[in-house]
Amino acid sequence: MNWGKSIVLVFIVFAGFIGTMVVQMSRERIDLVRDDYYQDEIAYQQHIDRVANARRFDPKAYIHYHSDRRLVEVTLPDALTQGVLTLYRPADRRQDDRQVLSSGMPGRFTLSMQHKPAGLWRAQLTWSDGQREYYTERELILP
């Protein structure tokens, strides 16, 4: 085999490799964290204010994870008028779970994680006392 054939063969193998990689990468599912990330970025100052309001509270005081029973227990603040508990799954947004909380709910709210896949989750609690809004989150690692 001479040099000309070898160079052509190398280019053909390289083009096949690149083609295979393009096909493989186009099949990979890539989720944005949010569909409306631009609007979410504009409203980020409100989020900063919520976090600053909640800094005086310990997130573990509101969000408890019992790994032995795979339960998330949320202790609702006394001044709660409305709130949202989001179980956020960074790996796959289709598995996110959102619970609306209201002042008529009992002081403790439990949510089973038995049927949730193992890995990293974030329990994000947003609530309002009618005057201010608060936000706290806690990372949960399910075995």
Side-chain angles (χ1 to χ4, degrees):
M1 188 185 298
N2 63 20
W3 281 98
K5 290 180 181 177
S6 298
I7 291 173
V8 169
L9 183 62
V10 167
F11 279 128
I12 289 172
V13 169
F14 180 72
F17 172 75
I18 294 298
T20 302
M21 292 302 292
V22 166
V23 168
Q24 205 171 20
M25 294 301 161
S26 67
R27 291 181 182 171
E28 184 71 24
R29 216 180 99 247
I30 300 172
D31 284 333
L32 293 173
V33 174
R34 302 203 186 281
D35 287 331
D36 57 348
Y37 65 93
Y38 182 72
Q39 290 82 6
D40 199 39
E41 187 67 29
I42 291 173
Y44 194 66
Q45 182 60 44
Q46 293 173 342
H47 178 71
I48 292 171
D49 295 339
R50 287 185 202 114
V51 171
N53 290 339
R55 274 209 180 114
R56 58 186 161 165
F57 304 112
D58 179 17
K60 293 178 183 173
Y62 290 114
I63 303 170
H64 300 281
Y65 176 60
H66 303 282
S67 59
D68 55 335
R69 296 180 287 162
R70 289 187 74 152
L71 283 176
V72 173
E73 183 179 59
V74 177
T75 304
L76 301 174
D78 293 334
L80 173 81
T81 57
Q82 62 183 5
V84 175
L85 173 67
T86 304
L87 294 174
Y88 171 68
R89 175 86 166 151
D92 187 0
R93 69 177 174 183
R94 294 177 295 177
Q95 296 173 350
D96 290 356
D97 192 10
R98 189 168 190 249
Q99 300 288 326
V100 177
L101 311 172
S102 65
S103 59
M105 297 184 81
R108 290 187 189 260
F109 174 75
T110 58
L111 187 64
S112 174
M113 301 291 282
Q114 291 291 340
H115 301 291
K116 304 284 185 192
L120 176 67
W121 290 81
R122 287 195 181 106
Q124 302 170 332
L125 179 62
T126 305
W127 77 95
S128 172
D129 62 4
Q131 296 173 352
R132 290 187 184 154
E133 291 186 348
Y134 303 89
Y135 173 86
T136 189
E137 82 176 37
R138 182 160 182 213
E139 285 190 354
L140 311 174
I141 298 177
L142 300 184

